[in-house]
Amino acid sequence: MKSEIKKIAVLTSGGDAPGMNAAIRAVVRSCAYHNLECVGVYRGYEGLIEGDFKTLNARSVKNLINRGGTFLKSARSKGFMTKEGRKKAYEHLKKNSIDALVVIGGDGTFTGAIVFNEEHNFPIVGLPGTIDNDINGTDNTIGYDTALNTVVEAIDKIRDTANSHNRLFLVEVMGRDAGDIALNAGIGAGAEEILIPEQDMGRERLVASLKRSKASGKSSSIVVVAEGDQIGKNIFGLAEYIRENLEEYECKVTVLGHIQRGGSPSCYDRVLASRLGVGAVDALLNGERDVMIGLVHNKVVIVDFKESLKGENKIDKDLIRVADIISV
């Protein structure tokens, strides 16, 4: 071991994701395995500023692996966006003799960690916890698989109504900047069309495609729309455009919203979170800092924070082709 780290803090920040509790559990129990102290920080970076800490041990995290959300709570912190706020956070860490920090969250969480490290040279390791799957350097983020399954289950139920009434349903899913949920759930649920921010389909082309579907004998259709898609002002405006140009269908809108964040994590997310949590503690003990722990080709990897945030989301073009072929 290269480090003299004896005490590690862990927090969750940004939007909650299924599997965050499993990740916290893995960090805490990995600390116990290595005879390290572990401290939970409540309410993310806001709790770091206020010193809202609680000592955790292996028994503190029992019965957590199957729970959605995050028992440490999460919050957006305007205070941590200021130099004064970050200084208070650093002072609380030093006052409590904390040697390193594990943060679980998405791009906003990692951006805050980068700035904090630059100002205070404090060891931080991140775990990618976001349902959007929009972090580079890892094949999947914690919570993404569960969100996918939630969306597919919901669309399956919506399709029953669509088929019963010969309706067209527009189903909006999360993904402000990334279409991973929409694309994969759309394929998995058999959607006729999938609209994602990485690909501008255009309203006219969408209507033309739906007309072809109707002419081919389809009596109902499901269109999955990522919330960040720019095809219209919003999904309700898109629905109105379709109603004006496609009288063959009765058009309805369903916004799945925050049900995608909740629920018990899938087995995949529980295992992923456990592997990454153990990997975070291992990395800190080996002298790593300012990095994210990810999973690539089923191998745990270490990625520089800045690399994890670099570039736009890269959508799988093969999946787009698959979606086009099987929606005929």
Side-chain angles (χ1 to χ4, degrees), residues 1 5 8 22-31 33-34 36 101-104 124-128 142 270-289 291-295 299-303:
M1 296 296 181
I5 287 176
I8 295 175
I24 297 166
R25 174 181 180 269
V27 170
V28 173
R29 292 196 169 178
S30 187
C31 285
Y33 178 84
H34 291 289
L36 306 172
L101 178 64
V102 176
V103 298
I104 308 168
I124 305 180
V125 167
L127 301 184
I142 297 167
R270 298 182 197 192
V271 175
L272 175 64
S274 298
R275 293 183 71 180
L276 299 190
V278 170
V281 175
D282 287 345
L284 286 168
L285 291 176
N286 283 301
E288 298 285 353
R289 60 169 63 198
V291 297
M292 177 196 80
I293 309 301
L295 195 73
K299 299 290 184 184
V300 174
V301 296
I302 296 174
V303 183

Side-chain angles (χ1 to χ4, degrees), residues 225-244:
V225 185
E227 62 180 326
D229 179 74
Q230 300 302 310
I231 197 170
K233 185 176 180 181
N234 56 48
I235 194 170
F236 297 100
L238 176 59
E240 188 58 36
Y241 179 84
I242 292 173
R243 293 187 188 106
E244 292 172 356

Side-chain angles (χ1 to χ4, degrees), residues 18-19 22 65-68 141-150 262-273:
I65 196 167
N66 61 316
R67 284 172 51 186
T141 56
I142 297 167
Y144 172 61
D145 183 71
T146 306
L148 275 183
N149 288 313
T150 298
S264 180
S266 66
C267 180
Y268 180 88
D269 274 329
R270 298 182 197 192
V271 175
L272 175 64

